[in-house]
Amino acid sequence: MAGETYRFGEYELDIARLRLCWGGEPVHVEPRAFDLLCHLVVHRDRVVSKNELLDEVWGNRFVTEAALTTALRTARLAVGDTGGRQRLIRTVHRRGYQFAAPATVAGSGPAAGAGDAPGAGTAAAGRPAGADGQVIRFCRAEDGTCIAYATVGEGPPLLKAANWMTHLDLEWNTPVWSHWLAGLARRRRLVRYDERGCGLSDWDVPSFTFDDWVDDLETVVEAAGLDRFPLLGVSQGGAVAIAYAARRPERVSRLILAGAYARGRQVRARDDAERRAAALDLDLARVGWGHKDPSFLRVFASQFLPDGTREDWEEFSAFQRRTTSPANGVRFLEEFARIDVSAIAHRVDCPTLILHSRDDVRVPATQAGELAALIPDSRLVLLDSRNHLLTAAEPAWAAFLSQAEAFLAE
């Protein structure tokens, strides 16, 4: 196994250089997860027991099965798999695990030197190194609220406006966001931050309005030393990005909107039925978040990831609980419903790419069409998905990255 290179799908696992690549681009993998992946790929002709993996990856060091579970999850994420789908790494009940995807030996080379470590190829190439390679800093808004922001990767900057349910640290280990971070930071210095009331930013804040969110974005721009840059807005972060681009046109070179909308659910309701549906959505949120009801969180997760597995929904729900408080969860949803940037969207004068799932369950594609009509220099691309937040395994995610990278390279 010392010097062989394996190929499966668009992935290449170079054991000699301790490097995993996807489409020719290095992918960071935590050391234990990398060793686990290597062992499974090399011994793909059989089921590998838990005890064998523990002995091979951790040696004489005593660890619990929780460490194995974490490494397994991380390895799956690195190759675009999940415990629910198990397209590449399958669990064989009461026996162990097996690498199930077709793999070929592409070549061989010298064994890795003593100083090599998994992910070293990524660092050498100037690529993002994952959670251990990002730098987290803090800045203060005018009202004293502490805002956490992070940078990762190298190259020209890309700023992602904050949206709900983010956590600068935990995002790296959740299938909700990990592939977004790796993909967006592949050729760029990705700057992102946690919204006030969310993640590593202050949860107990004096004010909690849309204007505060736009001001916080501006605070991060100044703290990060950004001059002119492309801006990405996801979901309600799209409205924040639009408001900032209209306020500071000299700063924003290009704008990408993903799953975004100009008007919140209450504002865009056209009749009594839609108004009742918007009110019911908030009532369910108040009850669900107020009582920390797991069934509500699962329903909410299914709206964001309708094509996700039960495991995806459980991961999403667990991530929700760790990103904000129940009280703030309700406050966010109430404020989202009142968003309205339709009167200022025409002031965005930079080229704008609008990407939206064609059958988005949470935010209908008609909202993307409205944005395209409001923003003068914009183009709309509908993606073949029902998910509000695209998952790593679906073709729409690769299409999203391709469209975004081509747009930023223009």
Side-chain angles (χ1 to χ4, degrees), residues 1 8 27 33 36 73 101 109 166 202 211 214 232-234 271-272 336 399 404 407:
M1 140 174 169
F8 45 94
V27 177
L36 183 148
R73 178 185 298 172
T166 64
D202 281 351
D211 288 339
V214 182
L232 166 66
V234 179
D271 51 39
D272 288 342
F336 297 164
F407 177 69

Side-chain angles (χ1 to χ4, degrees), residues 241-260:
I242 289 169
Y244 179 81
R247 178 193 292 184
R248 295 284 185 264
E250 75 282 3
R251 288 289 183 89
V252 183
S253 59
R254 287 180 176 269
L255 181 62
I256 300 177
L257 303 174

Side-chain angles (χ1 to χ4, degrees), residues 130-401:
D132 57 349
Q134 77 173 349
V135 176
I136 299 175
R137 296 185 175 91
F138 295 85
C139 56
R140 288 200 178 273
E142 287 190 6
D143 64 2
T145 299
C146 189
I147 304 296
Y149 70 99
T151 57
V152 66
E154 295 182 3
L158 170 63
L159 175 61
K160 175 182 172 291
N163 51 272
W164 187 34
M165 291 188 303
T166 64
H167 191 295
L168 296 178
D169 181 39
L170 299 180
E171 285 175 0
W172 293 98
N173 292 316
T174 173
V176 180
W177 287 115
S178 58
H179 57 291
W180 284 76
L181 306 187
L184 294 172
R186 262 200 318 205
R187 296 181 177 89
R188 292 183 171 267
R189 177 168 64 98
L190 176 64
V191 182
R192 69 195 208 285
Y193 61 100
D194 285 331
E195 216 160 30
R196 60 173 57 210
C198 189
L200 294 178
S201 294
D202 281 351
W203 286 18
D204 186 10
V205 296
S207 183
F208 203 89
T209 68
F210 181 80
D211 288 339
D212 292 323
W213 299 338
V214 182
D215 291 343
D216 290 344
L217 190 160
E218 187 155 25
T219 298
V220 171
V221 168
E222 298 302 327
L226 299 176
D227 182 19
R228 186 164 169 80
F229 52 88
L231 178 60
L232 166 66
V234 179
S235 194
Q236 103 284 346
V240 176
I242 289 169
Y244 179 81
R247 178 193 292 184
R248 295 284 185 264
E250 75 282 3
R251 288 289 183 89
V252 183
S253 59
R254 287 180 176 269
L255 181 62
I256 300 177
L257 303 174
Y261 52 90
R263 297 178 297 151
R265 194 166 181 178
Q266 280 186 342
V267 179
R268 66 177 182 253
R270 295 167 298 180
D271 51 39
D272 288 342
E274 289 189 358
R275 281 187 284 273
R276 286 194 297 269
L280 177 61
D281 190 61
L282 287 178
D283 287 340
L284 288 173
R286 293 184 186 105
V287 174
W289 278 94
H291 292 84
K292 301 181 181 179
D293 185 348
S295 61
F296 162 76
L297 293 179
R298 282 193 293 271
V299 169
F300 197 63
S302 70
Q303 293 178 350
F304 278 74
L305 300 168
D307 289 332
T309 63
R310 180 170 293 275
E311 183 184 65
D312 291 334
W313 296 346
E314 293 298 335
E315 288 271 5
F316 190 92
S317 297
F319 186 64
Q320 287 182 79
R321 289 191 292 270
R322 300 180 70 182
T323 57
T324 194
S325 67
N328 281 353
V330 175
R331 292 175 74 187
F332 273 119
L333 290 172
E334 289 174 341
E335 192 66 24
F336 297 164
R338 294 191 288 264
I339 284 176
D340 189 356
V341 295
S342 59
I344 62 172
H346 70 279
R347 288 160 46 191
V348 175
D349 65 0
C350 64
T352 301
L353 174 64
I354 302 168
L355 297 164
H356 207 102
S357 293
R358 180 176 286 108
D359 299 307
D360 192 327
V361 173
R362 184 67 188 176
V363 178
T366 53
Q367 303 310 305
E370 181 178 56
L371 285 174
L374 289 170
I375 300 174
D377 187 6
S378 65
R379 68 189 80 165
L380 170 62
V381 176
L382 294 176
L383 304 172
D384 189 16
S385 176
R386 296 200 307 152
N387 292 322
H388 184 56
L389 295 177
L390 299 173
T391 63
E394 61 182 317
W397 170 243
F400 173 93
L401 279 184

